[in-house]
Amino acid sequence: MKWRDFKNELMKDSAFKEAYDDLEPEYQIVRFIIERRNQKRMTQAELARKAGTRQSAIARLESGTYNPSLRFLKKVAKALDAQVKISLK
């Protein structure tokens, strides 16, 4: 079974879909950071140096297994020439 088919099957379960949808903001942040870092042709180590942290912290952030503080996200955003904007709807 292909991943897309498997995911579509799982999405039929309302509890799974709700949990999946709840993670979307985190995934948006991770996607943005990875895409921006790649656009700037930076390694994780280079981004870490510029943000004043370690490469392992950037790796955890990009893997989605780390719940970063707003302060940390602001440092990473600054190192990527970006801004953090928060919206509550």
Side-chain angles (χ1 to χ4, degrees):
M1 178 179 278
K2 292 182 180 179
W3 164 246
R4 185 175 296 159
D5 296 333
F6 182 64
K7 178 183 164 190
N8 288 338
E9 200 57 38
L10 289 172
M11 294 297 264
K12 292 176 184 176
D13 178 338
S14 62
F16 177 87
K17 183 173 180 353
E18 183 178 346
Y20 182 89
D21 291 344
D22 283 347
L23 292 172
E24 184 57 26
E26 286 90 342
Y27 287 133
Q28 286 178 359
I29 292 168
V30 169
R31 275 193 304 269
F32 176 84
I33 290 169
I34 293 169
E35 288 172 7
R36 185 68 168 239
R37 180 175 62 75
N38 287 332
Q39 286 170 355
K40 294 183 137 311
R41 297 184 176 173
M42 295 173 77
T43 65
Q44 288 181 343
E46 290 168 335
L47 175 56
R49 270 193 301 281
K50 199 167 179 186
T53 190
R54 293 186 220 155
Q55 180 273 330
S56 60
I58 300 299
R60 282 193 306 276
L61 175 64
E62 290 186 358
S63 73
T65 60
Y66 174 62
N67 188 11
S69 67
L70 181 55
R71 173 179 261 167
F72 183 73
L73 286 176
K74 287 168 69 175
K75 285 181 179 182
V76 171
K78 185 176 180 181
L80 291 169
D81 300 318
Q83 297 176 22
V84 173
K85 291 186 180 183
I86 298 173
S87 175
L88 302 174
K89 297 179 183 181

